[in-house]
Amino acid sequence: MFSWISQVVAVTTFSLRSLPQRVGSSLVTIVGVGGVVMVLVGVLSIASGFQATLARTGDDSNVLVMRSGATSEMVSGLSLESVQIIVDQPAVRRDGDGRPIASGELFVVVDQPKRSTGTGANVPLRGVEPAAFAVRKEFELVDGRFFEEGRNELIVGRAASEEFAGLTLGSTVRWSDIDWQVVGIFEAGGTAEDSEVWCDARVLQPAYQRGTSFQSVHAKLESPAAFESFQQGLEADPRLNVKVIRETDYYQEQSTVMTAIIRGLGSLVALLMGFGAVFGALNTLYAAVSSRTREIATLRALGFGSLPVVVSVLAEALFLAGCGGVLGAALAYLLFNGFQAATLNFQTFSQVAFAFAVTPPLMVAGIVYALMMGFVGGFFPAVRAARLPVSVALREL
């Protein structure tokens, strides 16, 4: 056993030390594998960033109430009477003046061009009540002022202001035949609400022919433990037809479809590119085996076994692929991490601005994928090297 290990170490060390003699072909393999890993990690960082943005949205103490059966605020509807029953529940937290910290809200989308492409995009426009600012703990007005009740004024999320044209402080936009003025910019802690535009719900209702109705209620409970009784009480109330969900769970669900699509497409692209990288590794290692025929034959003639030769070729393949994986992961981090973008959330049909997130698990996954490519690319050349008859190889001297 010790002898076998010694042979493996000796042959593998010899193989790796000979790499400088094949620097060109080795770099081709490293760059090819690195390119695949960079694309894989870069694409998956889109899904990671999108999911992280929605996961940050919401609070464990907050609940969202919508019409029963509604899958998003967009398709929900609540009467004014229903909203009043919901906000009057004893589990809803009160402020210092005894008013419920709960906001009846409307959610519509408006067409506004992207700064980057000039093409129209569905920007979420949310009508809120005054308590909305207390419900969201991350909310902070960073520029300008709040909108005045009863006026066609807007406050815009930082990400929306940067991503879409015409939403800077002081600008005026025209939606639903009404001129709206941007009077403030807010931040919401890097959540999905940073992509939204807010206005007075009482102004948005007539602008979009919603009468006195709302689409959802965002409420802050006395504590997260109050959720179960609050949910059971409302869903059993015969005057209501509603579903109650934690805000955190709602936004987590909103990310599932888009995340699955991006990950599916990213994996497909990486798989196709991986085939190319594997063929590149095969060519490199076949060439390496051919150029080392004399050395391999000599080692076999001296008594070295076939298996140490196989291990040495596989080790070289894994080393080159590992270098490519580390290179690709590092490039993906430098090029994509934190890159700002916006995309359509298919579950709400509205844009969500987010930042690419190249996380450590993604980088590790990219390096593991590189090693898998290296193993496949090195396996067949390794078998060829082991099966090469010594007599035939020596005649190639």
Side-chain angles (χ1 to χ4, degrees):
M1 184 66 181
F2 179 76
S3 173
W4 183 85
I5 294 174
S6 299
Q7 288 188 13
V8 169
V9 172
V11 178
T12 302
T13 303
F14 177 78
S15 176
L16 294 178
R17 284 181 175 176
S18 67
L19 279 177
Q21 301 171 14
R22 293 171 274 117
V23 64
S25 58
S26 298
L27 283 176
V28 169
T29 299
I30 292 174
V31 171
V33 173
V36 175
V37 171
M38 183 184 70
V39 171
L40 172 66
V41 175
V43 172
L44 294 184
S45 72
I46 300 174
S48 178
F50 183 82
Q51 188 176 36
T53 296
L54 290 182
R56 282 194 296 269
T57 308
D59 185 282
D60 287 339
S61 296
N62 291 355
V63 293
L64 180 64
V65 185
M66 299 185 293
R67 176 180 55 80
S68 178
T71 55
S72 72
E73 293 178 272
M74 181 74 75
V75 297
S76 176
L78 298 172
S79 67
L80 178 61
E81 293 75 18
S82 297
V83 170
Q84 195 59 52
I85 293 171
I86 294 166
V87 301
D88 285 342
Q89 294 298 305
V92 176
R93 188 179 301 179
R94 262 59 181 172
D95 63 16
D97 297 324
R99 293 172 297 195
I101 304 178
S103 169
E105 302 187 355
L106 292 166
F107 185 90
V108 300
V109 294
V110 294
D111 185 53
Q112 196 67 14
K114 284 186 173 182
R115 286 176 182 267
S116 57
T117 62
T119 56
N122 290 342
V123 179
L125 172 61
R126 182 181 294 276
V128 301
E129 295 186 307
F133 309 115
V135 172
R136 277 83 168 187
K137 66 177 182 181
E138 301 288 351
F139 179 89
E140 180 184 6
L141 188 72
V142 295
D143 202 0
R145 59 174 175 81
F146 287 95
F147 58 76
E148 293 183 13
E149 293 183 32
R151 297 178 65 92
N152 300 331
E153 294 179 340
L154 306 169
I155 57 175
V156 180
R158 174 73 77 187
S161 179
E162 294 174 350
E163 194 67 31
F164 306 108
L167 294 180
T168 54
L169 184 63
S171 60
T172 300
V173 292
R174 188 171 181 80
W175 296 326
S176 191
D177 295 328
I178 296 174
D179 290 328
W180 303 79
Q181 185 181 12
V182 178
V183 299
I185 304 294
F186 70 88
E187 292 180 350
T191 66
E193 287 164 345
D194 273 327
S195 309
E196 296 183 352
V197 179
W198 287 11
C199 67
D200 184 358
R202 308 291 177 182
V203 175
L204 192 59
Q205 285 172 331
Y208 282 81
Q209 292 81 46
R210 301 300 174 90
T212 59
S213 69
F214 294 86
Q215 286 169 282
S216 63
V217 174
H218 289 252
K220 184 174 288 296
L221 301 182
E222 290 292 348
S223 70
F227 173 77
E228 298 293 340
S229 60
F230 179 78
Q231 180 189 40
Q232 293 171 6
L234 287 186
E235 293 184 351
D237 193 323
R239 298 171 296 174
L240 302 173
N241 179 30
V242 299
K243 63 182 290 187
V244 183
I245 186 171
R246 295 184 194 273
E247 265 191 351
T248 48
D249 292 339
Y250 172 75
Y251 286 106
Q252 187 69 33
E253 288 179 6
Q254 296 300 304
S255 69
T256 53
V257 172
M258 192 63 192
T259 301
I261 291 173
I262 295 173
R263 284 180 175 162
L265 290 176
S267 299
L268 179 62
V269 170
L271 182 64
L272 295 176
M273 293 184 67
F275 279 117
V278 166
F279 280 113
L282 281 171
N283 286 333
T284 299
L285 292 167
Y286 270 128
V289 170
S290 297
S291 67
R292 294 172 53 208
T293 300
R294 289 182 302 172
E295 290 88 348
I296 293 173
T298 302
L299 290 171
R300 297 281 306 281
L302 291 173
F304 282 79
S306 299
L307 194 54
V309 174
V310 171
V311 173
S312 71
V313 176
L314 280 177
E316 179 180 334
L318 292 173
F319 176 75
L320 295 177
C323 290
V326 171
L327 175 67
L331 286 175
Y333 182 83
L334 294 174
L335 295 176
F336 301 123
N337 191 48
F339 181 80
Q340 294 288 331
T343 190
L344 182 70
N345 184 353
F346 291 106
Q347 287 167 276
T348 61
F349 297 103
S350 62
Q351 293 283 322
V352 175
F354 65 99
F356 289 27
V358 179
T359 62
L362 274 186
M363 298 174 74
V364 171
I367 293 172
V368 170
Y369 185 54
L371 294 176
M372 291 170 61
M373 287 189 287
F375 181 83
V376 175
F379 179 77
F380 296 102
V383 172
R384 179 181 184 276
R387 289 181 173 177
L388 195 63
V390 175
S391 58
V392 174
L394 290 174
R395 282 201 293 270
E396 296 181 11
L397 287 170

